[in-house]
Amino acid sequence: MINNNVLAIVLGGGQGSRLYPLTEKRSKPAVPIAGKYRLVDIPISNCINSDIKRIFVLTQFNSASLNKHIKNTYHFSFFSSAFVDVLAAEQTPHNKTWFQGTADAVRQSMHHFLSHEFKYVLILSGDQLYQMEYDKMIDAHEKSGAEISIATIPVNAKDATSFGILKSNNESVVTSFIEKPDASLLPDWTSEVSDSMKSQGRNYLASMGIYIFNKDLLVNLMNDPSTNDFGKEIIPQSLESHKTLSYQYEGYWTDIGNIDSFFEANLGLTDDIPAFDLYDRKKRIYTHARMLPTTKIAGTVLDKAVIAEGCIISATKIERSVIGIRSRIGKESTVINTYMMGSDYYETLAEIESHKINVLMGIGERCYLKNTILDKNCRIGDDVKIDGGKHLEDKETEMYFIKDGIVVIKNGATIPSGYCIE
């Protein structure tokens, strides 16, 4: 089924500087997560699971890998109106600028949307990890007679200062909104939440950056070129004149805005019962279907490890780590608290035996890696030690980047044998 009343727009974000160097060669929605997916797979999968199958992805930076992923992944029947299309910022005779914000991205792309029939626009972020039934939010929007709906999540006082915080009445209609309030203002911004949320001290409603707009209203709002951002301008300016609904969500949700949150979100998948459930049959996460062999493991102790397809592993130990597709880990190596994204291809036996490759793809023998992210196609030589942690200062070299104690080995980088980062 397809809900033909709804058109979904996934905002790819800007340069993604807070996720650098993972965004050095790719856009933020194209960043690999969980060893086999891309960030953009999350909102697209949530849409498909909610029978919303007309989806645009807006991006402007390093979009080649994102375009390729979407082209190779999301195929629907020729007899269906379903699609997932990427729209990159484009210069026209009337507009010669990049996207200036979330609302401006929608404004510049509006002529593409209006070639389709729809009643509601669902606006999503491309850098969040969560599983949400958008169809229930749309039902609530319709039943309430709202013109705008905002998905909200209860947060505690510490987190509230980092979000747009709103208040709503007993009918969940938003009455006021403040962007990243100072801690001194918070006592006036508590909202009615469930007992479960109250018990956790989560008394403030934060905007999740997920919106529903009635078509006619969105078209009218986009006629004002002075407003460039939904959260900072469009939403606050619309509250008094347009009925705005707060749709409370209490499931797992994290905004993957920086290296630390990205790292923890991935390692959280190794928990016995992860907050983000990849095993829920009704909330599947879709991605590119690869024809890879099974993973082969020899002599390795695995403890809280997530291993993707096509890996060849001879490590001594892998602990609380996510190992991505086509990963190779050599003998007597130890991998702890690490996200290894894997490789885009295998090196052939002929290439390996010819000794033309000094350092093979993957992790070599007798290595020790802790608190590390290995981007795609990295080469780690033998006897390499990478001991990440808070004792390390922030630093960048041609091979790696250190932020908040997490060592990020850059895409395609080679770490020579015997190298130490500690």
Side-chain angles (χ1 to χ4, degrees):
M1 289 180 60
I2 299 177
N3 186 339
N4 286 313
N5 288 328
V6 183
L7 201 66
I9 300 171
V10 180
L11 300 173
Q15 200 164 357
S17 55
R18 291 189 298 154
L19 265 183
Y20 179 87
L22 302 179
T23 51
E24 184 177 18
K25 297 180 180 179
R26 58 169 79 91
S27 62
K28 193 155 45 169
V31 172
I33 60 163
K36 62 178 289 182
Y37 306 96
R38 305 276 187 143
L39 271 172
V40 76
D41 292 329
I42 305 304
I44 291 176
S45 297
N46 287 338
C47 283
I48 292 172
N49 292 332
S50 301
D51 291 327
I52 299 167
K53 297 174 183 175
R54 297 185 301 162
I55 306 162
F56 286 101
V57 181
L58 307 190
T59 187
Q60 65 183 347
F61 286 97
N62 290 336
S63 57
S65 64
L66 179 66
N67 289 340
K68 181 179 178 182
H69 174 72
I70 289 178
K71 178 177 71 71
N72 291 337
T73 303
Y74 297 101
H75 301 285
F76 299 96
S77 167
F78 286 115
F79 304 100
S80 167
S81 61
F83 63 84
V84 181
D85 285 348
V86 176
L87 294 179
E90 55 186 357
Q91 290 189 350
T92 70
H94 306 290
N95 193 344
K96 300 183 183 301
T97 64
W98 290 107
F99 296 151
Q100 302 300 304
T102 54
D104 187 58
V106 172
R107 178 184 298 112
Q108 291 194 38
S109 306
M110 185 61 75
H111 60 289
H112 294 291
F113 311 146
L114 293 178
S115 64
H116 299 270
E117 293 292 328
F118 58 95
K119 291 174 63 176
Y120 308 111
V121 177
L122 174 65
I123 297 177
L124 307 167
S125 173
D127 56 359
Q128 299 172 348
L129 192 62
Y130 65 106
Q131 290 164 302
M132 185 175 179
E133 297 167 294
Y134 301 137
D135 48 338
K136 292 184 178 179
M137 182 178 175
I138 291 163
D139 287 345
H141 177 85
E142 286 185 311
K143 289 175 182 176
S144 70
E147 293 180 272
I148 304 171
S149 287
I150 306 172
T152 57
I153 190 164
V155 297
N156 58 32
K158 178 184 176 183
D159 293 335
T161 56
S162 300
F163 290 98
I165 301 297
L166 54 84
K167 291 188 71 171
S168 60
N169 61 23
N170 56 8
E171 294 181 341
S172 295
V173 174
V174 180
T175 56
S176 51
F177 180 94
I178 186 171
E179 181 75 14
K180 298 181 180 180
D182 187 85
S184 63
L185 300 175
L186 289 179
D188 296 326
W189 285 87
T190 58
S191 291
E192 187 60 36
V193 296
S194 68
D195 291 339
S196 173
M197 295 293 101
K198 287 179 183 177
S199 67
Q200 299 175 45
R202 295 167 62 174
N203 298 305
Y204 308 92
L205 287 181
S207 169
M208 297 166 63
I210 297 171
Y211 313 111
I212 296 172
F213 283 86
N214 289 359
K215 175 184 176 180
D216 292 342
L217 174 60
L218 184 64
V219 171
N220 288 336
L221 291 172
M222 292 299 99
N223 287 331
D224 181 1
S226 67
T227 53
N228 290 325
D229 194 86
F230 284 110
K232 296 175 183 177
E233 297 166 322
I234 297 284
I235 298 298
Q237 294 170 14
S238 300
L239 294 183
E240 291 188 9
S241 53
H242 303 288
K243 184 176 181 180
T244 303
L245 181 74
S246 165
Y247 180 80
Q248 280 195 46
Y249 174 77
E250 295 186 359
Y252 173 81
W253 176 86
T254 185
D255 182 11
I256 300 182
N258 54 48
I259 291 293
D260 182 57
S261 60
F262 175 82
F263 187 59
E264 287 304 319
N266 279 283
L267 293 195
L269 298 172
T270 67
D271 293 343
D272 290 339
I273 303 178
F276 185 78
D277 187 4
L278 288 169
Y279 305 94
D280 190 327
R281 289 184 296 173
K282 295 181 180 179
K283 298 177 182 178
R284 291 177 178 172
I285 304 301
Y286 302 96
T287 193
H288 179 46
R290 304 171 183 90
M291 302 306 165
L292 289 175
T294 52
T295 285
K296 182 167 62 175
I297 302 173
T300 307
V301 175
L302 302 174
D303 184 14
K304 296 186 183 300
V306 173
I307 314 289
E309 313 98 292
C311 299
I312 300 173
I313 297 172
S314 303
T316 296
K317 181 179 183 181
I318 299 176
E319 178 183 307
R320 196 169 185 260
S321 296
V322 176
I323 309 300
I325 55 172
R326 303 185 190 89
S327 290
R328 182 194 66 84
I329 306 177
K331 296 178 181 178
E332 299 179 47
S333 288
T334 297
V335 179
I336 301 171
N337 285 3
T338 289
Y339 176 26
M340 183 178 185
M341 292 185 183
S343 303
D344 290 321
Y345 59 92
Y346 291 113
E347 291 170 327
T348 67
L349 285 175
E351 289 174 327
I352 294 170
E353 291 171 355
S354 68
H355 303 292
K356 290 181 180 178
I357 303 171
N358 293 325
V359 179
L360 302 181
M361 195 96 78
I363 298 173
E365 298 182 355
R366 300 175 301 280
C367 293
Y368 179 89
L369 276 72
K370 185 176 182 181
N371 296 327
T372 304
I373 297 174
L374 275 69
D375 204 333
K376 283 286 191 77
N377 305 329
C378 289
R379 300 171 185 272
I380 310 296
D382 297 335
D383 302 297
V384 169
K385 183 176 183 181
I386 303 175
D387 187 13
K390 295 296 184 182
H391 60 283
L392 295 177
E393 295 183 357
D394 289 358
K395 178 181 180 181
E396 181 175 9
T397 73
E398 290 185 2
M399 299 183 297
Y400 62 88
F401 179 88
I402 301 174
K403 179 68 174 178
D404 298 327
I406 302 164
V407 181
V408 183
I409 308 301
K410 293 183 177 182
N411 188 302
T414 298
I415 306 295
S417 295
Y419 199 91
C420 288
I421 305 173
E422 57 182 334

